[in-house]
Amino acid sequence: MYNMGEPRIKIVAMPKDTNPSGNIFGGWIMSQMDIAGSLAVRDLNVGRVVTVAVQSMEFREAVKVGDVLSCYAKIMKVGKTSLTVRIEVNAERSIEGAHRCLHVTSAVITYVNVSSDGKKCPFLIPITNS
């Protein structure tokens, strides 16, 4: 993914993650995206954050068992209490010895900073967009 750096997560899609049609559950993919986004936020050392919003997603390609899913994450905006992260997902598939890279989906996820009791709070340290 251009300008996204190295993937935050690379994981092989396994049979346990499939729906009755044999494709990987969209919810499993969304979970990997959320983890990738939170890892990007973690690099800022801001403390505890929780997911509060996911902008629209459209699955462009089905993910199959054995595909290597790569989730890229880039911080797009930092506010007083929240951060928005762009997530891009590709699947690498081996077909008859040839590798194909498929764009699966993308989304923007918003995380909010919370105190130890789970209440929204401002970041304690100033954060600048990178």
Side-chain angles (χ1 to χ4, degrees):
M1 308 276 17
Y2 300 110
N3 299 319
M4 297 293 281
E6 292 293 315
R8 295 290 174 161
I9 293 177
K10 282 185 92 164
I11 189 167
V12 177
M14 301 297 283
K16 67 179 178 55
D17 305 314
T18 59
N19 62 25
S21 299
N23 295 321
I24 300 301
F25 277 114
W28 180 83
I29 296 167
M30 291 172 67
S31 174
Q32 303 310 310
M33 294 172 75
D34 194 22
I35 293 167
S38 67
L39 288 172
V41 171
R42 183 177 182 215
D43 286 350
L44 296 177
N45 198 27
V46 296
R48 185 175 178 199
V49 296
V50 295
T51 306
V52 295
V54 178
Q55 288 187 11
S56 68
M57 292 178 62
E58 179 180 329
F59 290 96
R60 301 179 181 277
E61 294 284 343
V63 176
K64 310 274 186 196
V65 170
D67 286 355
V68 177
L69 198 74
S70 295
C71 298
Y72 299 82
K74 182 176 182 180
I75 295 171
M76 303 303 291
K77 181 181 173 191
V78 177
K80 288 175 87 175
T81 62
S82 65
L83 298 122
T84 55
V85 181
R86 177 147 187 91
I87 314 292
E88 299 279 344
V89 180
N90 284 346
E92 184 181 326
R93 183 171 298 156
S94 182
I95 302 171
E96 298 176 2
H99 291 283
R100 283 187 59 207
C101 187
L102 307 167
H103 176 67
V104 174
T105 190
S106 58
V108 174
I109 300 178
T110 302
Y111 300 88
V112 69
N113 192 48
V114 294
S115 61
S116 59
D117 61 355
K119 305 281 188 216
K120 181 168 103 172
C121 63
F123 295 113
L124 296 177
I125 56 172
I127 302 170
T128 58
N129 287 329
S130 42

